[in-house]
Amino acid sequence: MRSQLALAFAFSVAHSVTCFAPGSLGVKAGALSASGGSVSRSSNLRPRNKARTHVGGRRVVCSSNVKWYGDTPYADAPESEALAFESSYTDKTGEPRGFCNWLVPRKVMVGRYPHGTPLGSKTGRSSPDESKEHVRKLVEAGVSVFVMLQQEVPAQDNDELWPPGDLVPLSDPEKAVKYPEGFSRYFQDAKTVSKELKRKDPVFEHFPIPDFGVADMGDLIGFLYDLRDRIKLDGDVIYLHCWGGRGRAGTVGACLYLMLRYKDGAAFDVETAAEEALSVVQRGYDTRLGEDGGGSKSPETEEQREFVREFASQLYAQYGLNCAL
């Protein structure tokens, strides 16, 4: 795993960072730990790689006054105008329906599965031409890493798991009847368009989560540290998606937003930070055509929203340990 460096939004924290000693955090059993560069559940919270608190061979002081490389230009949470992204398809009612939106402008998008999906009663499915045009718009916007959060679809870059025709129906027989067709593979379109536009070869990540469910906390925080490094160190732009782009994608998007909003060692109010992340996710979702004013929530379930609040608490504790190194 790459050396982990800090990344955050450029904003002012009104007070100096409080650094905690291990054992003073009061974290419950089953909290996060790091071993060999990956994060997993453990009975004790442990600091991540010490390289995370070093830049250019020097130790970074955990203070809100430190100037961090790769800071974004957003002093405040982005407004709706900055989150909107124009890309849509014609749904079953004949109306345009938006694919996605920015979560962190020019760095992270959250959206629907970017290709054909099982046929929804209202949402329908995008045509092959609409799907390819959407992928083209994503690549033109800089997207270079596609993160699929679906358990029901095999990894895009795994040829062995995709059947001939590159179409995967829902495995549940009842759902397959209710939602016919299947998920069409977008792997080749993304590679072809990236080559045509002379962009870097796309990366396809798969972090499977059950539909309407949440991830393992330890696994997710380790995965998001890696995505954060891709954004900061490699200049990648991320497209996070599930099926409809509001449950699993909204949940993981809110967690990644928190990691990008606050740098390692930053002191922040956990409740305020979590509610801001959830608010930005909803604000972005509401910019999509066909969703604005519809009352649909993103993240989709209360369990998913509570997961984001717990993630903020765990992240605060993790940052305190990084600062104490």
Side-chain angles (χ1 to χ4, degrees):
M1 181 182 294
R2 305 179 187 85
S3 294
Q4 306 287 358
L5 301 177
L7 173 67
F9 280 82
F11 76 109
S12 295
V13 178
H15 51 281
S16 297
V17 173
T18 302
C19 294
F20 299 89
S24 68
L25 294 168
V27 178
K28 298 178 182 179
L32 306 176
S33 72
S35 175
S38 61
V39 182
S40 60
R41 287 192 177 276
S42 171
S43 59
N44 296 300
L45 187 67
R46 299 178 183 176
R48 290 183 61 84
N49 193 323
K50 289 187 178 182
R52 188 178 300 282
T53 57
H54 290 73
V55 175
R58 63 182 176 82
R59 192 177 190 279
V60 174
V61 179
C62 291
S63 164
S64 60
N65 296 321
V66 174
K67 185 67 177 177
W68 292 73
Y69 299 114
D71 282 350
T72 67
Y74 306 104
D76 299 301
E79 296 298 330
S80 297
E81 295 76 12
L83 299 177
F85 186 77
E86 293 187 14
S87 186
S88 63
Y89 68 98
T90 303
D91 67 18
K92 200 171 182 180
T93 68
E95 297 296 322
R97 184 168 294 268
F99 272 105
C100 62
N101 58 269
W102 288 107
L103 181 62
V104 180
R106 298 185 296 280
K107 295 184 183 295
V108 181
M109 277 194 198
V110 176
R112 303 176 60 84
Y113 188 84
H115 229 250
T117 64
L119 187 63
S121 56
K122 180 179 178 181
T123 57
R125 66 182 270 123
S126 57
S127 69
D129 286 344
E130 289 173 321
S131 299
K132 188 165 186 176
E133 179 60 22
H134 175 55
V135 171
R136 177 175 292 277
K137 287 182 177 180
L138 294 181
V139 175
E140 288 176 340
V143 170
S144 50
V145 178
F146 292 83
V147 179
M148 184 169 66
L149 302 171
Q150 296 163 265
Q151 189 180 66
E152 65 272 23
V153 183
Q156 290 291 318
D157 55 359
N158 192 328
D159 292 334
E160 294 181 1
L161 296 180
W162 282 87
D166 284 343
L167 187 70
V168 173
L170 291 169
S171 58
D172 184 306
E174 291 185 10
K175 287 186 176 180
V177 171
K178 184 177 181 180
Y179 303 107
E181 303 291 342
F183 295 95
S184 60
R185 192 180 184 189
Y186 62 83
F187 172 79
Q188 195 56 55
D189 274 355
K191 289 182 69 69
T192 299
V193 170
S194 297
K195 185 175 181 180
E196 288 175 357
L197 296 176
K198 296 181 170 56
R199 303 297 176 87
K200 66 166 67 175
D201 208 30
V203 173
F204 302 91
E205 298 281 3
H206 190 206
F207 190 87
I209 303 173
D211 199 9
F212 299 106
V214 296
D216 174 85
M217 183 69 76
D219 290 345
L220 181 64
I221 200 169
F223 180 69
L224 293 185
Y225 268 124
D226 289 340
L227 288 187
R228 190 181 72 166
D229 279 355
R230 285 189 178 278
I231 295 167
K232 178 178 183 260
L233 302 180
D234 301 336
D236 281 319
V237 176
I238 311 295
Y239 185 79
L240 287 171
H241 76 82
C242 53
W243 181 351
R246 69 184 181 105
R248 291 167 286 185
T251 305
V252 173
C255 294
L256 181 56
Y257 176 90
L258 285 166
M259 246 184 207
L260 297 174
R261 185 73 159 106
Y262 300 99
K263 62 183 170 234
D264 278 358
F268 59 89
D269 182 84
V270 170
E271 182 177 351
T272 301
E275 294 313 310
E276 179 186 303
L278 290 169
S279 176
V280 172
V281 168
Q282 184 67 55
R283 188 181 305 157
Y285 182 78
D286 288 343
T287 66
R288 299 185 205 172
L289 287 174
E291 307 297 347
D292 51 314
S296 296
K297 289 187 176 181
S298 181
E300 199 164 359
T301 69
E302 183 54 38
E303 180 190 17
Q304 291 170 336
R305 292 186 287 276
E306 188 58 35
F307 181 90
V308 174
R309 298 182 184 105
E310 177 61 21
F311 182 93
S313 178
Q314 294 280 8
L315 186 66
Y316 184 87
Q318 181 73 53
Y319 277 8
L321 284 183
N322 291 346
C323 185
L325 288 175

PDB file of all heavy atoms in Angstrom, residues 67-101:
ATOM      1  N   LYS A  67      -0.111  23.827   6.360  1.00  0.00           N
ATOM      2  CA  LYS A  67      -0.528  23.889   4.954  1.00  0.00           C
ATOM      3  C   LYS A  67      -0.289  22.531   4.329  1.00  0.00           C
ATOM      4  O   LYS A  67       0.841  22.065   4.257  1.00  0.00           O
ATOM      5  CB  LYS A  67       0.290  24.963   4.212  1.00  0.00           C
ATOM      6  CG  LYS A  67      -0.155  25.179   2.784  1.00  0.00           C
ATOM      7  CD  LYS A  67      -1.539  25.797   2.735  1.00  0.00           C
ATOM      8  CE  LYS A  67      -1.963  26.084   1.299  1.00  0.00           C
ATOM      9  NZ  LYS A  67      -3.326  26.611   1.242  1.00  0.00           N
ATOM     10  N   TRP A  68      -1.345  21.883   3.885  1.00  0.00           N
ATOM     11  CA  TRP A  68      -1.227  20.525   3.365  1.00  0.00           C
ATOM     12  C   TRP A  68      -1.226  20.536   1.853  1.00  0.00           C
ATOM     13  O   TRP A  68      -1.965  21.278   1.225  1.00  0.00           O
ATOM     14  CB  TRP A  68      -2.384  19.675   3.881  1.00  0.00           C
ATOM     15  CG  TRP A  68      -2.312  19.440   5.347  1.00  0.00           C
ATOM     16  CD1 TRP A  68      -2.561  20.347   6.342  1.00  0.00           C
ATOM     17  CD2 TRP A  68      -1.931  18.248   6.005  1.00  0.00           C
ATOM     18  NE1 TRP A  68      -2.368  19.790   7.562  1.00  0.00           N
ATOM     19  CE2 TRP A  68      -1.987  18.487   7.387  1.00  0.00           C
ATOM     20  CE3 TRP A  68      -1.543  16.992   5.562  1.00  0.00           C
ATOM     21  CZ2 TRP A  68      -1.670  17.523   8.332  1.00  0.00           C
ATOM     22  CZ3 TRP A  68      -1.244  16.025   6.502  1.00  0.00           C
ATOM     23  CH2 TRP A  68      -1.307  16.288   7.870  1.00  0.00           C
ATOM     24  N   TYR A  69      -0.420  19.698   1.272  1.00  0.00           N
ATOM     25  CA  TYR A  69      -0.396  19.544  -0.178  1.00  0.00           C
ATOM     26  C   TYR A  69      -1.711  18.928  -0.641  1.00  0.00           C
ATOM     27  O   TYR A  69      -2.270  18.062   0.002  1.00  0.00           O
ATOM     28  CB  TYR A  69       0.760  18.635  -0.609  1.00  0.00           C
ATOM     29  CG  TYR A  69       2.112  19.154  -0.233  1.00  0.00           C
ATOM     30  CD1 TYR A  69       2.894  18.488   0.696  1.00  0.00           C
ATOM     31  CD2 TYR A  69       2.608  20.315  -0.807  1.00  0.00           C
ATOM     32  CE1 TYR A  69       4.137  18.965   1.050  1.00  0.00           C
ATOM     33  CE2 TYR A  69       3.861  20.802  -0.465  1.00  0.00           C
ATOM     34  CZ  TYR A  69       4.623  20.113   0.469  1.00  0.00           C
ATOM     35  OH  TYR A  69       5.854  20.597   0.818  1.00  0.00           O
ATOM     36  N   GLY A  70      -2.185  19.395  -1.775  1.00  0.00           N
ATOM     37  CA  GLY A  70      -3.378  18.785  -2.350  1.00  0.00           C
ATOM     38  C   GLY A  70      -4.677  19.294  -1.778  1.00  0.00           C
ATOM     39  O   GLY A  70      -5.738  18.731  -2.024  1.00  0.00           O
ATOM     40  N   ASP A  71      -4.629  20.356  -0.967  1.00  0.00           N
ATOM     41  CA  ASP A  71      -5.869  20.911  -0.429  1.00  0.00           C
ATOM     42  C   ASP A  71      -6.790  21.345  -1.570  1.00  0.00           C
ATOM     43  O   ASP A  71      -6.342  21.832  -2.596  1.00  0.00           O
ATOM     44  CB  ASP A  71      -5.591  22.132   0.459  1.00  0.00           C
ATOM     45  CG  ASP A  71      -5.085  21.730   1.835  1.00  0.00           C
ATOM     46  OD1 ASP A  71      -5.138  20.526   2.139  1.00  0.00           O
ATOM     47  OD2 ASP A  71      -4.620  22.606   2.581  1.00  0.00           O
ATOM     48  N   THR A  72      -8.096  21.183  -1.374  1.00  0.00           N
ATOM     49  CA  THR A  72      -9.060  21.609  -2.378  1.00  0.00           C
ATOM     50  C   THR A  72      -9.430  23.063  -2.126  1.00  0.00           C
ATOM     51  O   THR A  72      -9.218  23.575  -1.037  1.00  0.00           O
ATOM     52  CB  THR A  72     -10.327  20.735  -2.318  1.00  0.00           C
ATOM     53  OG1 THR A  72     -10.981  20.993  -1.075  1.00  0.00           O
ATOM     54  CG2 THR A  72      -9.997  19.264  -2.406  1.00  0.00           C
ATOM     55  N   PRO A  73     -10.008  23.742  -3.104  1.00  0.00           N
ATOM     56  CA  PRO A  73     -10.296  25.168  -2.940  1.00  0.00           C
ATOM     57  C   PRO A  73     -11.627  25.472  -2.270  1.00  0.00           C
ATOM     58  O   PRO A  73     -12.114  26.582  -2.359  1.00  0.00           O
ATOM     59  CB  PRO A  73     -10.306  25.661  -4.394  1.00  0.00           C
ATOM     60  CG  PRO A  73     -10.820  24.499  -5.156  1.00  0.00           C
ATOM     61  CD  PRO A  73     -10.242  23.285  -4.472  1.00  0.00           C
ATOM     62  N   TYR A  74     -12.229  24.508  -1.594  1.00  0.00           N
ATOM     63  CA  TYR A  74     -13.550  24.733  -1.034  1.00  0.00           C
ATOM     64  C   TYR A  74     -13.469  25.020   0.461  1.00  0.00           C
ATOM     65  O   TYR A  74     -13.228  24.133   1.264  1.00  0.00           O
ATOM     66  CB  TYR A  74     -14.454  23.519  -1.300  1.00  0.00           C
ATOM     67  CG  TYR A  74     -14.490  23.177  -2.753  1.00  0.00           C
ATOM     68  CD1 TYR A  74     -13.782  22.079  -3.227  1.00  0.00           C
ATOM     69  CD2 TYR A  74     -15.154  23.981  -3.667  1.00  0.00           C
ATOM     70  CE1 TYR A  74     -13.768  21.777  -4.571  1.00  0.00           C
ATOM     71  CE2 TYR A  74     -15.147  23.690  -5.012  1.00  0.00           C
ATOM     72  CZ  TYR A  74     -14.450  22.587  -5.457  1.00  0.00           C
ATOM     73  OH  TYR A  74     -14.433  22.298  -6.793  1.00  0.00           O
ATOM     74  N   ALA A  75     -13.645  26.294   0.824  1.00  0.00           N
ATOM     75  CA  ALA A  75     -13.606  26.665   2.230  1.00  0.00           C
ATOM     76  C   ALA A  75     -14.877  26.227   2.948  1.00  0.00           C
ATOM     77  O   ALA A  75     -14.886  26.033   4.148  1.00  0.00           O
ATOM     78  CB  ALA A  75     -13.436  28.172   2.363  1.00  0.00           C
ATOM     79  N   ASP A  76     -15.954  26.088   2.207  1.00  0.00           N
ATOM     80  CA  ASP A  76     -17.226  25.679   2.783  1.00  0.00           C
ATOM     81  C   ASP A  76     -17.788  24.507   1.977  1.00  0.00           C
ATOM     82  O   ASP A  76     -17.293  24.177   0.908  1.00  0.00           O
ATOM     83  CB  ASP A  76     -18.221  26.841   2.750  1.00  0.00           C
ATOM     84  CG  ASP A  76     -17.734  28.035   3.556  1.00  0.00           C
ATOM     85  OD1 ASP A  76     -17.502  27.864   4.759  1.00  0.00           O
ATOM     86  OD2 ASP A  76     -17.580  29.120   2.970  1.00  0.00           O
ATOM     87  N   ALA A  77     -18.839  23.895   2.516  1.00  0.00           N
ATOM     88  CA  ALA A  77     -19.485  22.798   1.797  1.00  0.00           C
ATOM     89  C   ALA A  77     -20.006  23.308   0.455  1.00  0.00           C
ATOM     90  O   ALA A  77     -20.551  24.405   0.368  1.00  0.00           O
ATOM     91  CB  ALA A  77     -20.639  22.249   2.628  1.00  0.00           C
ATOM     92  N   PRO A  78     -19.822  22.541  -0.623  1.00  0.00           N
ATOM     93  CA  PRO A  78     -20.256  22.987  -1.957  1.00  0.00           C
ATOM     94  C   PRO A  78     -21.767  23.147  -2.058  1.00  0.00           C
ATOM     95  O   PRO A  78     -22.526  22.383  -1.472  1.00  0.00           O
ATOM     96  CB  PRO A  78     -19.739  21.878  -2.885  1.00  0.00           C
ATOM     97  CG  PRO A  78     -19.572  20.686  -2.005  1.00  0.00           C
ATOM     98  CD  PRO A  78     -19.191  21.212  -0.661  1.00  0.00           C
ATOM     99  N   GLU A  79     -22.197  24.157  -2.807  1.00  0.00           N
ATOM    100  CA  GLU A  79     -23.618  24.405  -3.019  1.00  0.00           C
ATOM    101  C   GLU A  79     -24.130  23.611  -4.221  1.00  0.00           C
ATOM    102  O   GLU A  79     -23.351  23.014  -4.962  1.00  0.00           O
ATOM    103  CB  GLU A  79     -23.854  25.904  -3.235  1.00  0.00           C
ATOM    104  CG  GLU A  79     -23.498  26.760  -2.025  1.00  0.00           C
ATOM    105  CD  GLU A  79     -24.341  26.436  -0.800  1.00  0.00           C
ATOM    106  OE1 GLU A  79     -25.503  26.008  -0.984  1.00  0.00           O
ATOM    107  OE2 GLU A  79     -23.839  26.581   0.324  1.00  0.00           O
ATOM    108  N   SER A  80     -25.425  23.637  -4.415  1.00  0.00           N
ATOM    109  CA  SER A  80     -26.068  22.826  -5.451  1.00  0.00           C
ATOM    110  C   SER A  80     -25.502  23.082  -6.843  1.00  0.00           C
ATOM    111  O   SER A  80     -25.290  22.139  -7.626  1.00  0.00           O
ATOM    112  CB  SER A  80     -27.581  23.096  -5.461  1.00  0.00           C
ATOM    113  OG  SER A  80     -28.164  22.718  -4.245  1.00  0.00           O
ATOM    114  N   GLU A  81     -25.242  24.357  -7.154  1.00  0.00           N
ATOM    115  CA  GLU A  81     -24.745  24.699  -8.493  1.00  0.00           C
ATOM    116  C   GLU A  81     -23.428  23.993  -8.806  1.00  0.00           C
ATOM    117  O   GLU A  81     -23.167  23.621  -9.953  1.00  0.00           O
ATOM    118  CB  GLU A  81     -24.559  26.214  -8.619  1.00  0.00           C
ATOM    119  CG  GLU A  81     -25.838  27.027  -8.534  1.00  0.00           C
ATOM    120  CD  GLU A  81     -26.375  27.161  -7.111  1.00  0.00           C
ATOM    121  OE1 GLU A  81     -25.629  26.822  -6.154  1.00  0.00           O
ATOM    122  OE2 GLU A  81     -27.525  27.591  -6.958  1.00  0.00           O
ATOM    123  N   ALA A  82     -22.611  23.807  -7.792  1.00  0.00           N
ATOM    124  CA  ALA A  82     -21.313  23.161  -8.003  1.00  0.00           C
ATOM    125  C   ALA A  82     -21.425  21.643  -8.071  1.00  0.00           C
ATOM    126  O   ALA A  82     -20.494  20.963  -8.526  1.00  0.00           O
ATOM    127  CB  ALA A  82     -20.348  23.550  -6.881  1.00  0.00           C
ATOM    128  N   LEU A  83     -22.562  21.094  -7.635  1.00  0.00           N
ATOM    129  CA  LEU A  83     -22.732  19.639  -7.572  1.00  0.00           C
ATOM    130  C   LEU A  83     -23.450  19.061  -8.785  1.00  0.00           C
ATOM    131  O   LEU A  83     -23.367  17.861  -9.037  1.00  0.00           O
ATOM    132  CB  LEU A  83     -23.501  19.269  -6.299  1.00  0.00           C
ATOM    133  CG  LEU A  83     -22.839  19.666  -4.973  1.00  0.00           C
ATOM    134  CD1 LEU A  83     -23.742  19.297  -3.809  1.00  0.00           C
ATOM    135  CD2 LEU A  83     -21.483  19.012  -4.822  1.00  0.00           C
ATOM    136  N   ALA A  84     -24.149  19.891  -9.524  1.00  0.00           N
ATOM    137  CA  ALA A  84     -24.923  19.402 -10.668  1.00  0.00           C
ATOM    138  C   ALA A  84     -24.009  18.925 -11.794  1.00  0.00           C
ATOM    139  O   ALA A  84     -22.959  19.504 -12.041  1.00  0.00           O
ATOM    140  CB  ALA A  84     -25.847  20.501 -11.180  1.00  0.00           C
ATOM    141  N   PHE A  85     -24.439  17.850 -12.477  1.00  0.00           N
ATOM    142  CA  PHE A  85     -23.695  17.315 -13.625  1.00  0.00           C
ATOM    143  C   PHE A  85     -24.700  16.900 -14.684  1.00  0.00           C
ATOM    144  O   PHE A  85     -25.624  16.134 -14.407  1.00  0.00           O
ATOM    145  CB  PHE A  85     -22.834  16.127 -13.210  1.00  0.00           C
ATOM    146  CG  PHE A  85     -21.945  15.617 -14.310  1.00  0.00           C
ATOM    147  CD1 PHE A  85     -20.783  16.286 -14.652  1.00  0.00           C
ATOM    148  CD2 PHE A  85     -22.279  14.466 -15.015  1.00  0.00           C
ATOM    149  CE1 PHE A  85     -19.957  15.824 -15.669  1.00  0.00           C
ATOM    150  CE2 PHE A  85     -21.461  13.989 -16.035  1.00  0.00           C
ATOM    151  CZ  PHE A  85     -20.297  14.681 -16.368  1.00  0.00           C
ATOM    152  N   GLU A  86     -24.525  17.410 -15.883  1.00  0.00           N
ATOM    153  CA  GLU A  86     -25.486  17.155 -16.954  1.00  0.00           C
ATOM    154  C   GLU A  86     -25.185  15.852 -17.685  1.00  0.00           C
ATOM    155  O   GLU A  86     -24.278  15.783 -18.506  1.00  0.00           O
ATOM    156  CB  GLU A  86     -25.481  18.325 -17.945  1.00  0.00           C
ATOM    157  CG  GLU A  86     -26.024  19.627 -17.362  1.00  0.00           C
ATOM    158  CD  GLU A  86     -26.160  20.710 -18.426  1.00  0.00           C
ATOM    159  OE1 GLU A  86     -26.095  20.375 -19.623  1.00  0.00           O
ATOM    160  OE2 GLU A  86     -26.314  21.876 -18.050  1.00  0.00           O
ATOM    161  N   SER A  87     -25.944  14.852 -17.350  1.00  0.00           N
ATOM    162  CA  SER A  87     -25.884  13.574 -18.053  1.00  0.00           C
ATOM    163  C   SER A  87     -27.141  12.802 -17.669  1.00  0.00           C
ATOM    164  O   SER A  87     -27.375  12.543 -16.487  1.00  0.00           O
ATOM    165  CB  SER A  87     -24.635  12.777 -17.672  1.00  0.00           C
ATOM    166  OG  SER A  87     -24.537  11.605 -18.461  1.00  0.00           O
ATOM    167  N   SER A  88     -27.954  12.447 -18.640  1.00  0.00           N
ATOM    168  CA  SER A  88     -29.224  11.804 -18.337  1.00  0.00           C
ATOM    169  C   SER A  88     -29.607  10.815 -19.430  1.00  0.00           C
ATOM    170  O   SER A  88     -28.994  10.763 -20.497  1.00  0.00           O
ATOM    171  CB  SER A  88     -30.329  12.853 -18.177  1.00  0.00           C
ATOM    172  OG  SER A  88     -30.529  13.561 -19.386  1.00  0.00           O
ATOM    173  N   TYR A  89     -30.634  10.024 -19.142  1.00  0.00           N
ATOM    174  CA  TYR A  89     -31.201   9.102 -20.125  1.00  0.00           C
ATOM    175  C   TYR A  89     -32.718   9.241 -20.056  1.00  0.00           C
ATOM    176  O   TYR A  89     -33.258   9.904 -19.162  1.00  0.00           O
ATOM    177  CB  TYR A  89     -30.760   7.663 -19.826  1.00  0.00           C
ATOM    178  CG  TYR A  89     -31.346   7.086 -18.560  1.00  0.00           C
ATOM    179  CD1 TYR A  89     -32.465   6.249 -18.601  1.00  0.00           C
ATOM    180  CD2 TYR A  89     -30.785   7.375 -17.309  1.00  0.00           C
ATOM    181  CE1 TYR A  89     -33.004   5.717 -17.438  1.00  0.00           C
ATOM    182  CE2 TYR A  89     -31.323   6.850 -16.142  1.00  0.00           C
ATOM    183  CZ  TYR A  89     -32.420   6.023 -16.219  1.00  0.00           C
ATOM    184  OH  TYR A  89     -32.963   5.514 -15.065  1.00  0.00           O
ATOM    185  N   THR A  90     -33.421   8.638 -20.978  1.00  0.00           N
ATOM    186  CA  THR A  90     -34.880   8.709 -20.999  1.00  0.00           C
ATOM    187  C   THR A  90     -35.457   7.526 -20.224  1.00  0.00           C
ATOM    188  O   THR A  90     -35.194   6.366 -20.580  1.00  0.00           O
ATOM    189  CB  THR A  90     -35.410   8.690 -22.446  1.00  0.00           C
ATOM    190  OG1 THR A  90     -34.826   9.771 -23.163  1.00  0.00           O
ATOM    191  CG2 THR A  90     -36.926   8.822 -22.458  1.00  0.00           C
ATOM    192  N   ASP A  91     -36.198   7.817 -19.153  1.00  0.00           N
ATOM    193  CA  ASP A  91     -36.726   6.722 -18.338  1.00  0.00           C
ATOM    194  C   ASP A  91     -38.012   6.150 -18.939  1.00  0.00           C
ATOM    195  O   ASP A  91     -38.433   6.538 -20.035  1.00  0.00           O
ATOM    196  CB  ASP A  91     -36.924   7.177 -16.884  1.00  0.00           C
ATOM    197  CG  ASP A  91     -38.029   8.222 -16.719  1.00  0.00           C
ATOM    198  OD1 ASP A  91     -38.868   8.366 -17.629  1.00  0.00           O
ATOM    199  OD2 ASP A  91     -38.052   8.887 -15.662  1.00  0.00           O
ATOM    200  N   LYS A  92     -38.632   5.239 -18.208  1.00  0.00           N
ATOM    201  CA  LYS A  92     -39.782   4.520 -18.753  1.00  0.00           C
ATOM    202  C   LYS A  92     -40.990   5.427 -18.970  1.00  0.00           C
ATOM    203  O   LYS A  92     -41.890   5.124 -19.755  1.00  0.00           O
ATOM    204  CB  LYS A  92     -40.149   3.359 -17.825  1.00  0.00           C
ATOM    205  CG  LYS A  92     -40.980   2.279 -18.508  1.00  0.00           C
ATOM    206  CD  LYS A  92     -41.118   1.058 -17.618  1.00  0.00           C
ATOM    207  CE  LYS A  92     -41.915  -0.032 -18.322  1.00  0.00           C
ATOM    208  NZ  LYS A  92     -42.065  -1.236 -17.475  1.00  0.00           N
ATOM    209  N   THR A  93     -41.036   6.557 -18.266  1.00  0.00           N
ATOM    210  CA  THR A  93     -42.144   7.502 -18.419  1.00  0.00           C
ATOM    211  C   THR A  93     -41.910   8.481 -19.564  1.00  0.00           C
ATOM    212  O   THR A  93     -42.746   9.328 -19.846  1.00  0.00           O
ATOM    213  CB  THR A  93     -42.361   8.306 -17.121  1.00  0.00           C
ATOM    214  OG1 THR A  93     -41.236   9.179 -16.914  1.00  0.00           O
ATOM    215  CG2 THR A  93     -42.516   7.380 -15.926  1.00  0.00           C
ATOM    216  N   GLY A  94     -40.736   8.368 -20.218  1.00  0.00           N
ATOM    217  CA  GLY A  94     -40.411   9.265 -21.317  1.00  0.00           C
ATOM    218  C   GLY A  94     -39.752  10.555 -20.875  1.00  0.00           C
ATOM    219  O   GLY A  94     -39.514  11.452 -21.697  1.00  0.00           O
ATOM    220  N   GLU A  95     -39.432  10.658 -19.575  1.00  0.00           N
ATOM    221  CA  GLU A  95     -38.802  11.854 -19.031  1.00  0.00           C
ATOM    222  C   GLU A  95     -37.306  11.635 -18.842  1.00  0.00           C
ATOM    223  O   GLU A  95     -36.853  10.506 -18.644  1.00  0.00           O
ATOM    224  CB  GLU A  95     -39.442  12.223 -17.684  1.00  0.00           C
ATOM    225  CG  GLU A  95     -40.913  12.585 -17.768  1.00  0.00           C
ATOM    226  CD  GLU A  95     -41.147  13.831 -18.600  1.00  0.00           C
ATOM    227  OE1 GLU A  95     -40.320  14.769 -18.509  1.00  0.00           O
ATOM    228  OE2 GLU A  95     -42.153  13.877 -19.338  1.00  0.00           O
ATOM    229  N   PRO A  96     -36.511  12.721 -18.879  1.00  0.00           N
ATOM    230  CA  PRO A  96     -35.067  12.574 -18.626  1.00  0.00           C
ATOM    231  C   PRO A  96     -34.798  12.270 -17.160  1.00  0.00           C
ATOM    232  O   PRO A  96     -35.463  12.817 -16.274  1.00  0.00           O
ATOM    233  CB  PRO A  96     -34.503  13.945 -19.025  1.00  0.00           C
ATOM    234  CG  PRO A  96     -35.641  14.895 -18.863  1.00  0.00           C
ATOM    235  CD  PRO A  96     -36.875  14.115 -19.213  1.00  0.00           C
ATOM    236  N   ARG A  97     -33.862  11.400 -16.896  1.00  0.00           N
ATOM    237  CA  ARG A  97     -33.485  11.037 -15.528  1.00  0.00           C
ATOM    238  C   ARG A  97     -31.961  11.113 -15.398  1.00  0.00           C
ATOM    239  O   ARG A  97     -31.226  10.487 -16.161  1.00  0.00           O
ATOM    240  CB  ARG A  97     -33.987   9.634 -15.180  1.00  0.00           C
ATOM    241  CG  ARG A  97     -33.718   9.214 -13.736  1.00  0.00           C
ATOM    242  CD  ARG A  97     -34.487   7.958 -13.393  1.00  0.00           C
ATOM    243  NE  ARG A  97     -35.926   8.209 -13.396  1.00  0.00           N
ATOM    244  CZ  ARG A  97     -36.627   8.565 -12.324  1.00  0.00           C
ATOM    245  NH1 ARG A  97     -36.019   8.726 -11.159  1.00  0.00           N
ATOM    246  NH2 ARG A  97     -37.919   8.764 -12.398  1.00  0.00           N
ATOM    247  N   GLY A  98     -31.504  11.892 -14.448  1.00  0.00           N
ATOM    248  CA  GLY A  98     -30.076  12.118 -14.275  1.00  0.00           C
ATOM    249  C   GLY A  98     -29.326  10.888 -13.797  1.00  0.00           C
ATOM    250  O   GLY A  98     -29.840  10.120 -12.979  1.00  0.00           O
ATOM    251  N   PHE A  99     -28.126  10.730 -14.316  1.00  0.00           N
ATOM    252  CA  PHE A  99     -27.276   9.607 -13.909  1.00  0.00           C
ATOM    253  C   PHE A  99     -26.576   9.873 -12.580  1.00  0.00           C
ATOM    254  O   PHE A  99     -26.410   8.962 -11.766  1.00  0.00           O
ATOM    255  CB  PHE A  99     -26.189   9.367 -14.961  1.00  0.00           C
ATOM    256  CG  PHE A  99     -26.570   8.440 -16.081  1.00  0.00           C
ATOM    257  CD1 PHE A  99     -26.861   8.945 -17.328  1.00  0.00           C
ATOM    258  CD2 PHE A  99     -26.605   7.063 -15.896  1.00  0.00           C
ATOM    259  CE1 PHE A  99     -27.178   8.096 -18.389  1.00  0.00           C
ATOM    260  CE2 PHE A  99     -26.926   6.203 -16.938  1.00  0.00           C
ATOM    261  CZ  PHE A  99     -27.210   6.728 -18.194  1.00  0.00           C
ATOM    262  N   CYS A 100     -26.105  11.106 -12.370  1.00  0.00           N
ATOM    263  CA  CYS A 100     -25.154  11.299 -11.282  1.00  0.00           C
ATOM    264  C   CYS A 100     -25.019  12.767 -10.902  1.00  0.00           C
ATOM    265  O   CYS A 100     -25.682  13.643 -11.479  1.00  0.00           O
ATOM    266  CB  CYS A 100     -23.781  10.758 -11.692  1.00  0.00           C
ATOM    267  SG  CYS A 100     -23.076  11.631 -13.132  1.00  0.00           S
ATOM    268  N   ASN A 101     -24.156  13.026  -9.962  1.00  0.00           N
ATOM    269  CA  ASN A 101     -23.829  14.391  -9.547  1.00  0.00           C
ATOM    270  C   ASN A 101     -22.434  14.396  -8.925  1.00  0.00           C
ATOM    271  O   ASN A 101     -21.904  13.354  -8.523  1.00  0.00           O
ATOM    272  CB  ASN A 101     -24.847  14.905  -8.529  1.00  0.00           C
ATOM    273  CG  ASN A 101     -24.946  14.036  -7.293  1.00  0.00           C
ATOM    274  OD1 ASN A 101     -25.755  13.104  -7.243  1.00  0.00           O
ATOM    275  ND2 ASN A 101     -24.132  14.310  -6.294  1.00  0.00           N
TER     276      ASN A 101
END
